[in-house]
Amino acid sequence: MPQTIRIALDVMGGDFGAPVVVAGAAKSFARHPDIAFVMVGDQSVVEPLLAEHPAMRAASRMVHTTVSVKMDEKPSQALRHGRWRSSMWMAIDAVKRGDADVAISAGNTGALMAMAKFHLKTMPGIDRPAIAARWPTMRGASIVLDLGASIGADAEHLVDLAMMGGAMARVVLGIERPTVGLLNIGVEEVKGLEEVREAGAMLREAGHREIDYVGFVEGDDIGKGKVDVVVTEGFAGNIALKTAEGTAKQIGEFMRQAMNRSVFAKIGYLFAANAFASVQDKMDPRKVNGGVFLGLNGVVIKSHGATDAEGFATAVDMGYEMVRHDLRANIAEILAKLSAERAVRPAPESIST
Amino acid sequence: MPQTIRIALDVMGGDFGAPVVVAGAAKSFARHPDIAFVMVGDQSVVEPLLAEHPAMRAASRMVHTTVSVKMDEKPSQALRHGRWRSSMWMAIDAVKRGDADVAISAGNTGALMAMAKFHLKTMPGIDRPAIAARWPTMRGASIVLDLGASIGADAEHLVDLAMMGGAMARVVLGIERPTVGLLNIGVEEVKGLEEVREAGAMLREAGHREIDYVGFVEGDDIGKGKVDVVVTEGFAGNIALKTAEGTAKQIGEFMRQAMNRSVFAKIGYLFAANAFASVQDKMDPRKVNGGVFLGLNGVVIKSHGATDAEGFATAVDMGYEMVRHDLRANIAEILAKLSAERAVRPAPESIST
């Protein structure tokens, strides 16, 4: 286990850039004084902000660049103009060179994924990386993946997602053998996509020691927290995530309107203010901020671009936990085992021949 | 426009069967005394329930059968054992024979879809039917489809869904030229599935008079009510629907717990009780109950199996509106036009050759 956790930050990333990133980093540093930051960005912008946090400044190394990736740049554009010299790339590069244990950016998701994949490459046996995140549930939190790194998934990719998600649940949720479900549109074996059914059969048959595969789950099981890890391909995963966010906002807006409509409601709101705050707190997207890129030779975390310092601090906390519990080695070990199993065992299609 | 709206009910369908169906029908009948029901079910069960509603009884014709489809039967099983003689089949058959304008069942979704497709067949030019429903939004309600009738969709099927959803929005929402969006995982043209992009290009290029295609929408745009009609294939659509339901339940549960935690919160709840009720009312799944099967030679509506009389009444109201505004003819006309356009216009793939 490393003495200090070295975190590279794309200080210029996100809708609000350096002020939010530095303030967020400071909040996380206050909780984890064993972090050493690599701050990548425009020195003239970052230095004055860092000056407000002398303890963190002492634990930070500055890497200067004036190039940054824009939020609306296409991944290919970003790779062309930002490779080697943008703050986003150089934060990833710090991980690649072994100067940092994890890179965090609130910048453009597509560009970050493209750069991370290009520079760090996927782990042996993994074709495509995934994005995983915590999802608040009635039971606490679950890990859901893939939230949009790639579209579509064959059965083997879904199994990879299950194993990587399981590793993340161990680290983030502290559950030794997390329960895992495949997102589907019915609990009967007959329903759903061929790939999902095949992945279910593979997971059931393999009986992995690292995860407890429980079967199919449906969209409403996510919020119930029926399983610790919900596995799906990126299109459905992204739509589920965004739809849940939209529904939460919608209810919040209905609630706000209703509480403003009458004097009675306003009085009620005052009495129940703490109760409202506790619900808001439970659904607060800032408390679960941080999409973890899984399946790369290095840990990269995407913070929401529009988050504030509190939200960015959560992403930094997430990065800290990932390194502290050695997520990468954990996943590498599981994947090596999986690949060894696949090598000795015939593929499902060839069993019947 | 028909003088009376003839609605065939699978009285034995749903988790609670005849008591909920008859009570629900009575509620809708009170609002629409021009309904004539065809009540299909076990006479010895239905008659005593009908006796409580003499006015509706006078407007109802009883069709007797003791066979009903079970909630957990597989579609193939249901077709085998329930064809010709189950209450579900005979309600659909009433539409097929022209004895009813719409069939409504709270029974097994898969069985209902299989029977409806088998008996009524799809409309000319339509390969697969779809399930569409109202979705409560910040702006009121939108139509979302496909909610799980079939998995996957090529570009042409997505265009069909857009046109059928548009027709339903005209009928249900009363909007002459509804706005339509394709559900995707990013608003940039570069993102998302090939089929979705292709469908977007087809809709944009065609410039249909019946709908106003506005482009891609994301999961969180559904709750915002950004468009009147949200189009997606059935896997993602079902997951979006269930995830939204799960999130709403989750927030409701958090709220309930929070309001019970302290005396202050309880007092606040009392003052704001009306406000809470208004929010609950807006998100009440019973108020939007009724999945409409689109693309068949006949209108069939699926009520939620676990709903109560209020919820079932909503599904009956929905059926009433569909027939009153002649949804089926509306869709048939649009599809005929679409198919004529496709016949004269080369498919997109062949344009470049």
Side-chain angles (χ1 to χ4, degrees):
Chain A
M1 200 178 287
Q3 288 293 313
T4 57
I5 306 292
R6 300 163 309 156
I7 299 180
L9 300 180
D10 166 14
V11 186
M12 313 313 280
D15 296 354
F16 311 114
V20 160
V21 171
V22 172
K27 279 177 192 287
S28 181
F29 184 76
R31 296 191 278 261
H32 308 292
D34 51 342
I35 297 178
F37 286 110
V38 179
M39 300 264 184
V40 190
D42 186 337
Q43 198 149 6
S44 68
V45 174
V46 181
E47 277 293 359
L49 293 164
L50 264 184
E52 292 170 37
H53 308 281
M56 179 170 76
R57 190 191 179 184
S60 300
R61 188 162 65 79
M62 185 72 216
V63 174
H64 174 72
T65 177
T66 56
V67 180
S68 61
V69 172
K70 291 188 191 66
M71 292 305 274
D72 58 356
E73 233 165 332
K74 286 187 185 167
S76 54
Q77 283 180 323
L79 258 182
R80 219 166 26 240
H81 117 262
R83 205 186 316 170
W84 310 120
R85 54 204 200 105
S86 65
S87 56
M88 184 183 276
W89 176 276
M90 289 164 81
I92 296 168
D93 189 52
V95 173
K96 170 83 177 184
R97 290 166 179 269
D99 295 340
D101 304 304
V102 52
I104 304 177
S105 173
N108 180 332
T109 310
L112 185 65
M113 180 51 91
M115 285 184 175
K117 211 172 143 185
F118 186 93
H119 202 32
L120 299 175
K121 308 279 186 301
T122 52
M123 285 176 158
I126 295 286
D127 286 337
R128 296 180 292 169
I131 302 177
R134 270 177 302 176
W135 185 300
T137 74
M138 290 194 202
R139 280 180 51 232
S142 299
I143 303 296
V144 182
L145 76 167
D146 173 20
L147 296 173
S150 67
I151 288 175
D154 60 15
E156 228 167 63
H157 186 56
L158 289 170
V159 171
D160 292 342
L161 292 177
M163 301 307 282
M164 294 196 294
M168 183 164 155
R170 258 191 304 286
V171 168
V172 175
L173 310 177
I175 299 167
E176 191 44 37
R177 190 167 183 251
T179 53
V180 174
L182 289 169
L183 194 60
N184 204 344
I185 67 168
V187 287
E188 302 144 50
E189 292 288 334
V190 289
K191 283 191 186 170
L193 293 165
E194 192 51 50
E195 307 85 270
V196 178
R197 274 151 54 190
E198 200 187 315
M202 286 163 76
L203 285 168
R204 195 175 296 286
E205 197 194 315
H208 295 286
R209 192 171 40 83
E210 295 85 358
I211 61 165
D212 177 11
Y213 174 66
V214 300
F216 299 147
V217 294
E218 295 194 65
D220 52 340
D221 293 323
I222 311 177
K224 284 182 197 156
K226 192 173 172 184
V227 289
D228 301 316
V229 181
V230 176
V231 173
T232 186
E233 57 80 37
F235 189 81
N238 186 278
I239 283 172
L241 176 71
K242 293 276 178 73
T243 303
E245 285 175 359
T247 305
K249 264 188 215 159
Q250 181 185 355
I251 296 173
E253 176 61 20
F254 284 162
M255 202 60 87
R256 203 189 56 75
Q257 287 170 2
M259 291 301 153
N260 272 306
R261 206 168 290 144
S262 76
V263 175
F264 276 106
K266 281 181 187 166
I267 294 170
Y269 181 79
L270 289 180
F271 273 98
N274 282 335
F276 279 109
S278 84
V279 174
Q280 234 156 18
D281 190 62
K282 278 187 180 170
M283 298 300 293
D284 189 348
R286 297 177 306 171
K287 299 259 164 131
V288 290
N289 183 38
V292 180
F293 292 1
L294 296 178
L296 296 168
N297 295 307
V299 182
V300 175
I301 292 180
K302 167 66 172 77
S303 159
H304 200 293
T307 199
D308 61 10
E310 196 59 69
F312 194 81
T314 307
V316 177
D317 290 347
M318 171 85 92
Y320 178 90
E321 292 298 326
M322 295 295 166
V323 181
R324 195 31 98 211
H325 296 97
D326 224 349
L327 176 74
R328 192 178 140 194
N330 204 317
I331 288 181
E333 190 186 320
I334 289 170
L335 291 179
K337 212 187 116 198
L338 205 59
S339 132
E341 282 173 11
R342 280 174 187 165
V344 297
R345 194 184 303 191
E349 302 94 298
S350 55
I351 285 176
S352 57
T353 61
Chain B
M1 201 177 288
Q3 288 293 313
T4 57
I5 306 292
R6 299 162 310 157
I7 299 180
L9 299 180
D10 167 12
V11 186
M12 313 313 280
D15 295 354
F16 311 114
V20 160
V21 171
V22 172
K27 280 178 192 285
S28 181
F29 184 77
R31 297 191 277 260
H32 308 292
D34 51 341
I35 295 178
F37 286 110
V38 179
M39 300 264 183
V40 191
D42 186 337
Q43 199 149 6
S44 68
V45 174
V46 181
E47 279 292 358
L49 293 165
L50 264 183
E52 293 171 37
H53 308 280
M56 179 170 76
R57 190 191 180 183
S60 299
R61 188 162 64 80
M62 184 73 215
V63 174
H64 174 70
T65 177
T66 57
V67 180
S68 61
V69 172
K70 291 188 191 68
M71 292 307 274
D72 58 355
E73 233 166 330
K74 286 187 185 166
S76 55
Q77 283 180 323
L79 259 182
R80 221 167 23 241
H81 117 262
R83 206 187 313 171
W84 309 119
R85 52 203 201 105
S86 65
S87 57
M88 184 183 277
W89 177 278
M90 289 164 81
I92 296 167
D93 188 52
V95 173
K96 170 83 177 184
R97 292 166 179 268
D99 294 340
D101 303 305
V102 54
I104 304 178
S105 174
N108 179 330
T109 310
L112 186 65
M113 180 52 89
M115 286 185 174
K117 211 172 144 184
F118 186 93
H119 202 32
L120 298 175
K121 307 280 186 302
T122 52
M123 285 176 158
I126 295 286
D127 287 337
R128 297 181 291 170
I131 302 176
R134 270 177 302 174
W135 184 300
T137 73
M138 290 194 203
R139 281 178 50 232
S142 299
I143 302 297
V144 182
L145 75 168
D146 172 20
L147 296 173
S150 67
I151 288 175
D154 60 14
E156 228 167 63
H157 186 56
L158 289 170
V159 171
D160 292 343
L161 292 176
M163 301 307 283
M164 294 196 294
M168 183 165 156
R170 257 190 306 285
V171 169
V172 176
L173 310 177
I175 299 167
E176 192 42 38
R177 190 168 183 250
T179 54
V180 174
L182 289 169
L183 194 60
N184 204 345
I185 68 168
V187 288
E188 302 145 49
E189 292 288 335
V190 289
K191 283 191 186 171
L193 294 164
E194 192 52 50
E195 308 85 271
V196 179
R197 274 152 53 190
E198 201 187 313
M202 286 162 77
L203 285 168
R204 196 175 297 285
E205 197 195 315
H208 296 287
R209 190 171 42 82
E210 296 84 359
I211 61 164
D212 177 12
Y213 173 66
V214 301
F216 298 148
V217 293
E218 294 194 64
D220 53 340
D221 293 323
I222 310 177
K224 284 181 196 156
K226 191 172 173 185
V227 289
D228 302 316
V229 181
V230 176
V231 173
T232 186
E233 58 78 38
F235 189 81
N238 187 279
I239 283 172
L241 176 71
K242 294 277 178 72
T243 303
E245 285 174 1
T247 305
K249 264 189 216 157
Q250 181 185 356
I251 296 174
E253 177 61 21
F254 284 163
M255 201 63 87
R256 203 189 56 75
Q257 286 170 3
M259 291 300 154
N260 273 306
R261 206 166 290 144
S262 76
V263 175
F264 276 109
K266 282 181 187 168
I267 295 171
Y269 180 80
L270 289 179
F271 273 100
N274 281 334
F276 279 110
S278 84
V279 173
Q280 235 157 17
D281 189 62
K282 278 186 180 170
M283 298 300 292
D284 189 348
R286 296 176 307 170
K287 300 261 165 130
V288 290
N289 183 37
V292 180
F293 293 2
L294 296 177
L296 296 168
N297 295 307
V299 182
V300 175
I301 292 181
K302 168 66 173 74
S303 160
H304 200 292
T307 198
D308 60 10
E310 196 60 68
F312 194 82
T314 307
V316 178
D317 290 347
M318 171 86 91
Y320 178 91
E321 293 299 325
M322 295 297 166
V323 181
R324 198 26 101 216
H325 297 96
D326 224 349
L327 176 73
R328 192 177 139 195
N330 204 317
I331 289 181
E333 190 187 319
I334 289 170
L335 291 179
K337 213 189 116 199
L338 205 58
S339 134
E341 282 173 10
R342 280 175 185 164
V344 297
R345 194 183 304 189
E349 301 93 298
S350 55
I351 285 176
S352 58
T353 62

